[in-house]
Amino acid sequence: MAAKDFGAIESDYAFFMTHATEAESDVAEYARELAGVAERRTAIRMLDFGCGTGSFSEQLLSTVNWPPRALELTLVEPVPHQCEEAALRLAGFSERAIATAQKLDAGVRGPFDVILSNHVLYYVDDLDATLRQLVDLRSPGGKLLLAMAGWDNMLLGLWQTGFAMLGRPVPYYAAQDVASALSRWGIPFRKARVPYRLRFPDSAENRLKILRFLFAEHLDTMPRQRLLGEFDRYCQHGHVEVNTHSDHFAVEQP
């Protein structure tokens, strides 16, 4: 599934999550979309595509507070130990055994009432094929909820800057690619802009943590000092502070 190995940059990703309000903003938007779901169903089949360690879904499920007897959860995550950690972390939210898989086509059984993919589709090998699979896995009345940043997000702007230094296009997808695919297929969707802030104590090492999270193995081939300088404009009072946003997509099955 993933063209980016998160296993090697776990601590850098954790640094980003600790110093960004992205997760809180995303949870609030998803919870708004999911309001009333439990009232309309006695069972809720949910697919978490790209669950990581399950920490984000733990926040979301704590917020929506669905009855454990109702939730049937399937997790897809290509990093095996992260998938195992997620299944353990989320076990208390469902009275049923949690299904796990490393790929969508590895025994994932739909349909699902709720499909969540939170900041994952940047890294899939084939966006069209993956997005089509997710769309087709919805149940009647089901929701597909996605979060993706667009090219106007500062961090994705760093992608553009870094890969341009190598004379290469960005090898990842963005929110614009999701919108283009859904529009091309004639699939109705709603989109909302969700703001968040990234703020961390300014140091070369902390800037590097963000760059390692963004570029992973590609960073070693890039002019590091030039990329470190991209944070200068966001530095104030000893901190780097970036106010940016992501796009949320909601696709509902009629």
Side-chain angles (χ1 to χ4, degrees), residues 6-241:
F6 271 79
I9 55 171
E10 283 183 71
S11 62
D12 303 306
Y13 176 61
F15 179 84
F16 168 76
M17 294 301 292
T18 298
H19 292 88
T21 62
E22 182 187 68
E24 292 89 341
S25 297
D26 289 338
V27 164
E29 178 61 21
Y30 288 134
R32 186 186 67 80
E33 282 285 349
L34 294 170
V37 165
E39 298 169 9
R40 300 191 296 270
R41 292 176 173 84
T42 57
I44 304 167
R45 297 198 69 206
M46 177 176 170
L47 169 65
D48 187 351
F49 179 69
C51 64
T53 63
S55 59
F56 179 80
S57 292
E58 181 180 29
Q59 295 178 58
L60 177 59
L61 292 172
S62 295
T63 300
V64 297
N65 197 30
W66 291 333
R69 66 180 181 278
L71 181 61
E72 183 177 345
L73 189 57
T74 296
L75 307 177
V76 175
E77 170 55 48
V79 182
H81 78 268
Q82 289 191 355
C83 194
E84 293 170 9
E85 182 177 343
L88 290 172
R89 185 190 299 271
L90 301 175
F93 292 98
S94 176
E95 293 180 356
R96 310 180 189 199
I98 294 177
T100 61
Q102 289 183 254
K103 298 179 181 179
L104 267 182
D105 55 3
V108 174
R109 303 289 183 223
F112 295 96
D113 306 304
V114 176
I115 300 175
L116 175 72
S117 182
N118 189 57
H119 295 286
V120 172
L121 295 178
Y122 310 103
Y123 310 115
V124 297
D125 292 328
D126 186 331
L127 178 67
D128 276 24
T130 303
L131 192 54
R132 174 58 77 179
Q133 283 180 286
L134 293 175
V135 167
D136 290 346
L137 281 169
R138 293 170 302 158
S139 65
K143 286 191 177 190
L144 168 60
L145 301 178
L146 313 170
M148 289 276 283
W151 296 119
D152 52 354
N153 179 291
M154 176 267 183
L155 299 177
L156 269 65
L158 284 174
W159 274 352
Q160 292 176 310
T161 299
F163 285 106
M165 291 175 181
L166 303 179
R168 295 176 49 191
V170 176
Y172 307 125
Y173 298 103
Q176 287 85 348
D177 300 302
V178 172
S180 176
L182 293 173
S183 297
R184 188 167 65 250
W185 300 331
I187 296 174
F189 63 90
R190 288 178 284 103
K191 188 172 76 166
R193 175 167 289 188
V194 178
Y196 71 91
R197 183 183 71 172
L198 170 65
R199 185 175 188 270
F200 58 88
D202 189 22
S203 69
E205 177 55 29
N206 285 345
R207 293 186 186 198
L208 272 174
K209 289 176 182 177
I210 299 299
L211 293 176
R212 285 195 296 262
F213 156 58
L214 288 173
F215 291 103
E217 71 276 10
H218 299 290
L219 183 60
D220 290 338
T221 65
M222 294 175 175
R224 187 169 295 188
Q225 286 304 124
R226 288 176 60 188
L227 281 173
L228 287 171
E230 292 294 315
F231 293 95
D232 288 349
R233 73 191 81 173
Y234 302 101
C235 188
Q236 50 183 308
H237 309 299
H239 283 75
V240 172
E241 182 170 330

